[in-house]
Amino acid sequence: VILGRHSEALPLCEKAFKLRAEVLGEKHQDTLRSARCTADAHSFLGHHSEALSLYENIVKLRTETFGERHPDTLESMRDLARTYDHLYRHTEELRLRERIYKLDAEINGERDAQTLSSLAALATSYTNLGRHADALALREKALLLRSEVLGAQHQDTLSSMDDLAMSYLDLGRLTDTLALHEKLLKLRTEILGVRHDHTLLSMDSLALTNGLLGHHSESLRLRKNSYQLSVEMHGERNRLTLISLHGLAGAYVDFGNISEALKLYEKEYQLSVEMDGEHHPYTLASMQGLADTNARSGRNAEAIVLYKKILDLRTKTLGERHPDTLSSMNALALSYAESGRHAEAMPLFEKELKLRTELYGPQHSETLTALYALSHTYYELGRHAEALKLYERSVKDVESLRKSG
């Protein structure tokens, strides 16, 4: 496990778990350590459903043995919360994160490092459920406390600054996002130097925000700089370099240079296939960039071929409930709709709405976007009564969301 050889570790952990359970009993701490070893191996291999049942049992047994305030129990609760996140069971994750934070604060105090980590994780749980105002309040608190306890230049403080910038972005406060990303890039350059991965990630974040504000020349300049530095530091056949290349291609799209963007996306795709294979999530992201750029330039036929392939691969590798799969489903449906093929778009929009409602609830922003898309499709197909019903539902849900903050 320590060496990252999880496929080899899994059967050994399983064997130790079985033998210890038979000899020592299921509640013995050595048995529970072997159970956790097995669950961790499953988790690292992406077998989150298998890990879930193990983590749930470990939490149950450690709570019965030690109580929920014991460090080992809290460790297991964190493992379980992380697994809920992997499985997109965000409501259950949130309830558990709230309990963990409350216990950490009671046991260690609000200013303890572990409590602050739990606070940051809780804020992310709110973000996952679209409760961006709640996340913002927690992230402001985390940044303030980490600044006071750890200092303005500590890496955890800078991470809190990054999180807060993302909350500003989620709430559409782009000017605030820009100011925070500028400050973060300056601090990381001073503390870590320009040739550090965290500095390059801050550079990419600042480029993204500039692009969203329409500052495309500045965004392109930052993306070029980030990519060039990453090539110098890691070479072209490196995952971080390919992430920078992906961002640079997107900046060329925003700048209106579609031919250059397509060339870079194609380069990223070929390198990703060589490094990780066609089914890898990063390879599919590069294929998505190619498809999106074709769609944006009006080449819907080419885009549809790519979107269908991406949806098929993501469904097989990630499952249909994964956010990336749902994004691919939406992109294919939109391309059908923009090509006037509304009958083919309709079942995709219907399925997307059903899955997003199950995953996020009816009032999440992404659910509401899917609801509106399906309403528009019904209208285009002459199913006006159904379109009106969905439109009225969307208005009601948006108003409820607005009132709840």
Side-chain angles (χ1 to χ4, degrees):
V1 173
I2 294 171
L3 293 172
R5 294 162 61 175
H6 305 295
S7 296
E8 297 168 77
L10 179 57
L12 298 175
C13 292
E14 288 177 327
K15 184 175 181 180
F17 175 41
K18 181 182 177 183
L19 289 171
R20 281 175 166 167
E22 291 172 358
V23 175
L24 302 173
E26 66 171 3
K27 287 190 175 183
H28 193 281
Q29 289 316 294
D30 287 346
T31 306
L32 293 177
R33 289 189 190 98
S34 292
R36 186 174 187 238
C37 172
T38 305
D40 287 348
H42 276 303
S43 183
F44 279 114
L45 290 168
H47 309 159
H48 300 300
S49 295
E50 291 85 345
L52 177 66
S53 59
L54 288 164
Y55 285 135
E56 286 178 330
N57 194 48
I58 294 167
V59 169
K60 176 178 176 292
L61 293 173
R62 281 182 167 167
T63 302
E64 290 172 359
T65 305
F66 299 122
E68 66 178 359
R69 298 169 68 90
H70 191 277
D72 288 352
T73 308
L74 284 166
E75 172 190 68
S76 300
M77 291 167 72
R78 280 184 252 279
D79 290 336
L80 180 57
R82 187 179 64 252
T83 305
Y84 283 142
D85 180 30
H86 286 311
L87 291 167
Y88 310 103
R89 292 169 59 170
H90 295 307
T91 301
E92 292 159 287
E93 180 201 359
L94 176 61
R95 284 198 295 265
L96 192 53
R97 293 286 188 196
E98 287 176 331
R99 185 62 185 155
I100 292 167
Y101 173 63
K102 183 174 185 294
L103 288 168
D104 279 335
E106 289 174 358
I107 296 166
N108 303 312
E110 277 201 332
R111 299 167 70 87
D112 177 76
Q114 181 59 70
T115 306
L116 291 174
S117 293
S118 296
L119 179 62
L122 176 57
T124 300
S125 294
Y126 280 125
T127 296
N128 289 337
L129 286 168
R131 294 173 57 177
H132 300 304
D134 292 322
L136 175 67
L138 294 185
R139 284 171 170 171
E140 287 176 331
K141 180 178 180 179
L143 177 57
L144 176 64
L145 288 172
R146 278 178 165 167
S147 297
E148 292 175 355
V149 174
L150 304 172
Q153 297 192 346
H154 192 279
Q155 292 308 306
D156 288 349
T157 306
L158 298 183
S159 293
S160 285
M161 197 180 295
D162 226 343
D163 290 342
L164 181 57
M166 291 307 299
S167 282
Y168 285 148
L169 184 62
D170 289 333
L171 290 165
R173 294 170 54 176
L174 294 179
T175 303
D176 292 328
T177 308
L178 182 71
L180 210 47
H181 279 317
E182 286 176 335
K183 182 177 180 180
L184 192 55
L185 177 58
K186 182 175 182 291
L187 284 169
R188 281 184 166 153
T189 302
E190 291 172 355
I191 298 164
L192 303 171
V194 72
R195 299 171 68 88
H196 190 283
D197 289 339
H198 288 177
T199 306
L200 296 188
L201 290 173
S202 290
M203 197 177 295
D204 284 333
S205 296
L206 180 56
L208 173 65
T209 309
N210 271 290
L212 292 171
L213 283 165
H215 307 160
H216 299 307
S217 295
E218 178 63 9
S219 177
L220 184 59
R221 182 189 71 79
L222 288 165
R223 293 289 193 186
K224 284 180 176 179
N225 196 21
S226 172
Y227 175 61
Q228 184 58 44
L229 286 167
S230 191
V231 170
E232 292 172 5
M233 290 163 57
H234 304 298
E236 283 198 329
R237 298 172 64 85
N238 173 271
R239 179 51 53 199
L240 290 175
T241 303
L242 291 186
I243 291 172
S244 289
L245 179 60
H246 188 86
L248 177 58
Y252 273 117
V253 172
D254 293 336
F255 201 69
N257 192 338
I258 299 299
S259 61
E260 184 65 21
L262 286 170
K263 184 172 75 174
L264 294 181
Y265 279 132
E266 183 63 39
K267 179 178 181 179
E268 179 199 4
Y269 173 66
Q270 293 299 332
L271 287 169
S272 290
V273 170
E274 292 171 12
M275 288 169 57
D276 302 309
E278 190 174 54
H279 290 71
H280 194 279
Y282 285 119
T283 305
L284 295 176
S286 63
M287 196 187 302
Q288 180 93 28
L290 274 172
D292 290 345
T293 306
N294 275 299
R296 184 161 176 169
S297 61
R299 290 178 259 191
N300 283 327
E302 293 91 334
I304 285 171
V305 171
L306 288 168
Y307 283 138
K308 288 173 72 173
K309 183 176 182 180
I310 297 164
L311 178 57
D312 179 59
L313 289 171
R314 280 182 166 160
T315 302
K316 289 176 180 175
T317 57
L318 302 173
E320 65 178 8
R321 297 167 69 88
H322 192 281
D324 289 349
T325 307
L326 292 176
S327 294
S328 297
M329 195 179 296
N330 176 266
L332 177 57
L334 285 173
S335 283
Y336 279 140
E338 287 167 7
S339 301
R341 297 162 63 176
H342 299 291
E344 293 168 274
M346 184 186 71
L348 291 168
F349 281 135
E350 287 176 332
K351 188 172 187 179
E352 181 197 1
L353 176 60
K354 177 179 179 293
L355 291 170
R356 288 198 189 276
T357 303
E358 291 172 1
L359 284 168
Y360 304 124
Q363 294 181 2
H364 192 279
S365 58
E366 292 184 13
T367 307
L368 294 173
T369 301
L371 181 64
Y372 178 80
L374 180 57
S375 171
H376 180 73
T377 301
Y378 281 154
Y379 180 84
E380 291 292 337
L381 289 168
R383 297 169 61 168
H384 297 145
E386 292 164 282
L388 179 61
K389 183 178 178 181
L390 288 184
Y391 177 74
E392 289 173 342
R393 175 181 152 190
S394 70
V395 171
K396 180 181 177 182
D397 286 341
V398 167
E399 182 61 21
S400 297
L401 186 63
R402 186 188 66 79
K403 287 179 179 178
S404 69

